[in-house]
Amino acid sequence: MRRFLIWSGLAALIGLALAVAGVWAYTHFYARFQPVAIDRNQAEIQRLLDSAPWISAGGGDQPVYVVGYRENGPTLDYLRQEAAKLHVAGGDVRVILFARPDRAGVSRSTPAERATIAELWWSRDWTLYQRWIAAPARDWTAEGVAPADGNLARSAIVDASRRFAERLSDLLKEAGVSTDWPLVIWRDREGFLKACACSDRRSWAFIRDDLGAPDALGADTPFDALPEADATAAPIPPATEDRALPYPDLPAIPPSTAPQAQPQIQSPAQPGAAAPRTAGPPPSTRLERQTTRPPASRSTTPRSTAPKPPEEEDTRFY
């Protein structure tokens, strides 16, 4: 009996440890990246989003709000990599950027950033937003944009963007959403308001699955989203293996540039080589050609002047 109780307690302890490990793994690797269905303050959150001066390229009937600040890396990555995928699925990506408030007397935004935020909230210029997102943060000088510092109206707009971000984060915290930027808010197919603190890339896939967006553009892009072919373009002839290309027309060489004949340089006569023929009058008759012998040519090869070795007397025969 005692052994049975020991083994039973050990099995219960192992089962409890496995259950705790499973719950932790599910929460750590899956559940914490899932979007949160908002069941509190839905009307106030929706009213706050609608009143904000968001900017969008349009083209969709499913609003998707992306809230963040320019210096935040995950916010820029999400806008650059996921906005086009949501647009293909019919999403209207509405961007709301704000300037971070000062902390302990230290400014966490640059004058160029505050000037751009004020201009975007005032004019909702999509072209200015594209220029700002495409440029590196350290190189952005807000050229051509009126400064917000020292301007009472534009400074009030910058403060309004900060109050908006603070109020939205407070409402989402009450609904169980952590404040990690960017905040992505949309309505699913059933009409429920959902939010995601998408600072981690592993949470992006849940939004794509909920809205029916492709995981990658290109082969996964729906056919209806691709541009139609131009009917006025000339057709491309089919390629054939025995089809030869025409020889190109080359310009004629002018006479002044024609290559000149190079003079022939005769090599010096080698020993035993025939002398070159010289022009002269031909023989008067055939008989003269047959009877006339050419003079014997003197060999130019020097004769050996080395003395012969003396012959021995006993080898001489008479």
Side-chain angles (χ1 to χ4, degrees), residues 59 82-91 211-214 217 220-222 224-226:
E82 298 295 313
K85 301 174 185 178
L86 300 180
H87 182 77
V88 169
L211 297 177
L217 296 178
D220 296 333
T221 304
D224 296 338
L226 298 177

Side-chain angles (χ1 to χ4, degrees), residues 4-18:
F4 175 77
L5 293 176
I6 292 176
W7 283 106
S8 299
L10 183 59
L13 184 60
I14 294 175
L16 180 61
L18 293 176

Side-chain angles (χ1 to χ4, degrees), residues 168-191:
L168 180 63
S169 61
D170 292 341
L171 293 174
L172 292 177
K173 281 182 180 179
E174 296 178 1
V177 182
S178 61
T179 306
D180 291 329
W181 310 102
L183 290 174
V184 184
I185 307 171
W186 73 99
R187 289 190 178 273
D188 60 5
R189 300 169 185 175
E190 287 76 19

Side-chain angles (χ1 to χ4, degrees), residues 15-316:
L16 180 61
L18 293 176
V20 171
V23 171
W24 177 86
Y26 173 80
T27 304
H28 183 76
F29 294 105
Y30 186 80
R32 68 190 182 102
F33 302 116
Q34 286 185 324
V36 178
I38 300 175
D39 54 357
R40 299 181 60 183
N41 306 322
Q42 291 189 19
E44 188 173 359
I45 292 174
Q46 186 65 56
R47 189 163 48 249
L48 187 64
L49 294 173
D50 294 338
S51 61
W54 43 264
I55 52 178
S56 172
D61 56 355
Q62 178 66 30
V64 180
Y65 297 89
V66 182
V67 185
Y69 58 93
R70 173 63 174 80
E71 299 297 329
N72 182 247
T75 300
L76 293 182
D77 293 340
Y78 188 84
L79 291 174
R80 291 171 178 172
Q81 301 178 21
E82 298 295 313
K85 301 174 185 178
L86 300 180
H87 182 77
V88 169
D92 181 13
V93 181
R94 301 178 177 182
V95 184
I96 305 175
L97 299 177
F98 64 92
R100 290 181 294 173
D102 301 342
R103 176 179 294 177
V106 178
S107 178
R108 295 192 294 172
S109 60
T110 61
E113 181 181 359
R114 293 190 292 271
T116 309
I117 289 294
E119 182 64 27
L120 289 178
W121 278 56
W122 178 263
S123 62
R124 305 173 74 170
D125 189 354
W126 178 257
T127 304
L128 176 61
Y129 160 77
Q130 289 181 313
R131 288 171 45 204
W132 190 25
I133 294 297
R138 61 180 180 274
D139 298 337
W140 179 253
T141 59
E143 183 179 359
V145 180
D149 298 345
N151 189 312
L152 185 60
R154 292 182 177 270
S155 297
I157 295 176
V158 175
D159 293 337
S161 71
R162 294 168 175 171
R163 292 194 301 269
F164 164 81
E166 183 179 0
R167 180 56 181 167
L168 180 63
S169 61
D170 292 341
L171 293 174
L172 292 177
K173 281 182 180 179
E174 296 178 1
V177 182
S178 61
T179 306
D180 291 329
W181 310 102
L183 290 174
V184 184
I185 307 171
W186 73 99
R187 289 190 178 273
D188 60 5
R189 300 169 185 175
E190 287 76 19
F192 292 99
L193 191 64
K194 289 186 176 181
C196 171
C198 295
S199 60
D200 196 296
R201 294 174 178 267
R202 287 172 287 187
S203 60
W204 299 357
F206 293 99
I207 304 176
R208 294 195 301 266
D209 294 342
D210 205 358
L211 297 177
D215 293 335
L217 296 178
D220 296 333
T221 304
F223 179 79
D224 296 338
L226 298 177
E228 297 181 357
D230 188 3
T232 61
I236 301 175
T240 56
E241 297 182 357
D242 56 347
R243 184 177 181 179
L245 296 176
Y247 193 83
D249 296 333
L250 300 178
I253 301 177
S256 59
T257 61
Q260 302 294 333
Q262 300 294 334
Q264 298 181 357
I265 301 176
Q266 299 179 356
S267 58
Q270 301 295 333
R277 299 180 60 182
T278 59
S284 59
T285 62
R286 182 178 180 182
L287 180 60
E288 294 179 356
R289 292 196 302 268
Q290 293 178 355
T291 59
T292 302
R293 294 182 178 179
S297 59
R298 296 181 180 179
S299 176
T300 58
T301 305
R303 297 181 178 179
S304 176
T305 58
K308 296 182 178 180
E311 299 179 357
E312 298 181 0
E313 296 181 357
D314 56 354
T315 60
R316 185 177 299 174

